[in-house]
Amino acid sequence: MPSVSARLPSEEKEELDAVAELLDEDRSTTIRKALREGLAELRVRRAVERYQSGDASVAEAARIAGVSLGEWLEIAHERNLTTQLAAEDLSDDAYTAQQL
């Protein structure tokens, strides 16, 4: 497994240690978990932005978020997302959904 290092301000290190203790995990495990969950959230956030602006279709937003089309539709529903996509784009998305 490759190693990556990062410098943290004292407050963030203290928070990291507090969360690791809360989860009864070592610091490295907590960092890996936080990074994995944080990266997933960043992908979803970017997908939401692109979808909301009309720059991404349903299928493209799912790809950006790193989730299946069904999972993206759940995310979109939970976040009450609306789209600025043209009718043609929505038709393409409906066709894609039917193929699944």
Side-chain angles (χ1 to χ4, degrees):
M1 181 180 319
S3 178
V4 177
S5 65
R7 296 185 187 278
L8 299 176
S10 296
E11 308 83 46
E12 289 179 3
K13 182 192 171 293
E14 290 170 8
E15 178 65 13
L16 172 61
D17 290 338
V19 171
E21 184 177 334
L22 177 69
L23 298 176
D24 195 28
E25 298 174 342
D26 61 83
R27 188 184 296 154
S28 292
T29 300
T30 303
I31 289 171
R32 285 191 300 274
K33 186 179 289 185
L35 185 59
R36 186 172 41 254
E37 291 177 15
L39 291 173
E41 178 55 31
L42 289 173
R43 290 180 71 96
V44 168
R45 191 179 311 160
R46 182 64 176 147
V48 166
E49 291 168 0
R50 297 274 315 275
Y51 182 74
Q52 283 288 102
S53 70
D55 291 336
S57 67
V58 170
E60 177 68 5
R63 187 196 63 74
I64 293 167
V67 298
S68 70
L69 188 58
E71 289 169 318
W72 172 253
L73 293 173
E74 287 181 29
I75 290 168
H77 177 74
E78 290 168 358
R79 297 179 185 219
N80 296 314
L81 299 182
T82 58
T83 184
Q84 307 302 317
L85 295 174
E88 180 182 311
D89 295 324
L90 294 173
S91 177
D92 291 344
D93 286 341
Y95 176 78
T96 301
Q98 288 176 342
Q99 301 307 307
L100 298 176

